[in-house]
């Protein structure tokens, strides 16, 4: 039987990792001084490779406990899934007004002469040519699910984001604000 750490154990483990984080310690942070050799190995493997960390975390969530040796990798690469079956679902849908999105795009075009991501400056038209003309996603800075019935959305409540930045806002809770997303993007540039 596999057991996992409780919430306090997870918090302590994260504090062990903080003691290994040069960015955290350079800012005066200490973390806990009980990081093990294994903690150091995990830190060294994943600290600069968030994609590998995300893959490993997902594998853990999916219950994969084997090391990813060649046999496992071959099994993963040969796995096939049946997809595309039609299914019907009944679910609640929050209504959106497409007109306000069009007005926000028109406003940006008038002001800047182009539609570009407000976080990373990606321009679909510049990258994809005519296929990208007019394309950008609208992000509600005031989440629709948190609105009271009858509450309205203003054009200024929408941010224009590329698909990648929009997905990163919603990738985990709590959702990023536009300001937090801009900081994240600028730190990586």
């Amino acid at each position: 039987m596999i057991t996992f750490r409780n919430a306090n154990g997870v918090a302590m483990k994260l504090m062990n990792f903080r003691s290994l984080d040069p960015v955290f310690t350079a800012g005066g942070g200490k973390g806990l001084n009980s990081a093990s050799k294994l903690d150091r190995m995990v830190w060294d493997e994943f600290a600069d490779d968030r994609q590998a960390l995300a893959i490993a975390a997902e594998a853990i969530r999916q219950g994969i406990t084997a090391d990813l040796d060649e046999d496992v990798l071959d099994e993963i690469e040969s796995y096939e899934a049946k997809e595309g079956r039609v299914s019907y679902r009944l679910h609640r849908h929050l209504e959106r007004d497409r007109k306000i999105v069009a007005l926000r795009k028109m406003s940006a075009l008038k002001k800047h002469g182009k539609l570009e991501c407000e976080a990373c400056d990606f321009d679909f038209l510049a990258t994809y040519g005519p296929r990208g003309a007019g394309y950008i996603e609208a992000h509600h800075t005031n989440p629709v699910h948190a609105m009271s019935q009858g509450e309205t959305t203003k054009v200024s409540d929408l941010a224009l984001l590329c698909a990648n930045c929009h997905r990163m806002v919603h990738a985990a809770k709590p959702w990023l604000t536009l300001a937090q997303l801009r900081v994240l993007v600028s730190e990586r540039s």
Side-chain angles (χ1 to χ4, degrees):
M1 179 177 161
I2 297 175
T3 59
F4 296 98
R5 294 177 187 272
N6 62 26
N8 290 337
V10 170
M12 289 184 73
K13 183 56 68 179
L14 291 174
M15 290 305 291
N16 287 343
F17 285 129
R18 278 196 158 181
S19 71
L20 303 173
D21 183 353
V23 175
F24 183 74
T25 56
K30 293 185 180 182
L32 292 177
N33 59 1
S34 55
S36 67
K37 288 180 183 178
L38 182 58
D39 291 338
R40 168 61 70 185
M41 289 172 57
V42 169
W43 179 264
D44 290 343
E45 183 172 349
F46 294 112
D48 296 322
D49 193 349
R50 290 203 173 223
Q51 183 175 359
L53 177 61
I55 291 168
E58 183 59 27
I60 291 168
R61 279 192 289 274
Q62 296 297 325
I64 298 171
T65 56
D67 292 332
L68 294 180
D69 58 20
E70 289 299 317
D71 292 337
V72 173
L73 290 173
D74 288 344
E75 185 179 322
I76 290 170
E77 289 178 11
S78 64
Y79 179 80
E80 295 179 5
K82 291 183 180 179
E83 296 182 307
R85 192 183 96 208
V86 175
S87 65
Y88 297 92
R89 296 181 181 174
L90 179 63
H91 59 91
R92 194 177 94 177
H93 175 76
L94 298 172
E95 292 184 354
R96 304 292 205 289
D97 184 339
R98 299 302 307 159
K99 182 177 179 181
I100 198 160
V101 172
L103 291 171
R104 178 66 180 92
K105 288 180 179 183
M106 287 177 14
S107 171
L109 279 171
K110 185 174 182 178
K111 185 174 182 179
H112 305 292
K114 59 185 173 179
L115 295 177
E116 65 182 6
C117 178
E118 293 179 38
C120 73
D121 300 326
F122 185 84
D123 181 339
F124 285 90
L125 178 62
T127 302
Y128 298 110
R131 186 179 190 101
Y135 184 81
I136 197 151
E137 295 185 6
H139 167 68
H140 289 76
T141 57
N142 178 20
V144 175
H145 77 274
M147 295 173 70
S148 303
Q149 191 165 353
E151 196 173 339
T152 60
T153 300
K154 298 181 284 253
V155 170
S156 60
D157 293 331
L158 299 178
L160 299 180
L161 299 176
C162 70
N164 286 341
C165 286
H166 198 186
R167 184 66 192 114
M168 287 300 98
V169 166
H170 296 285
K173 290 183 179 178
W175 291 344
L176 295 174
T177 64
L178 187 55
Q180 291 169 326
L181 180 64
R182 285 181 181 139
V183 168
L184 191 64
V185 169
S186 70
E187 286 175 350
R188 301 290 178 207
S189 297

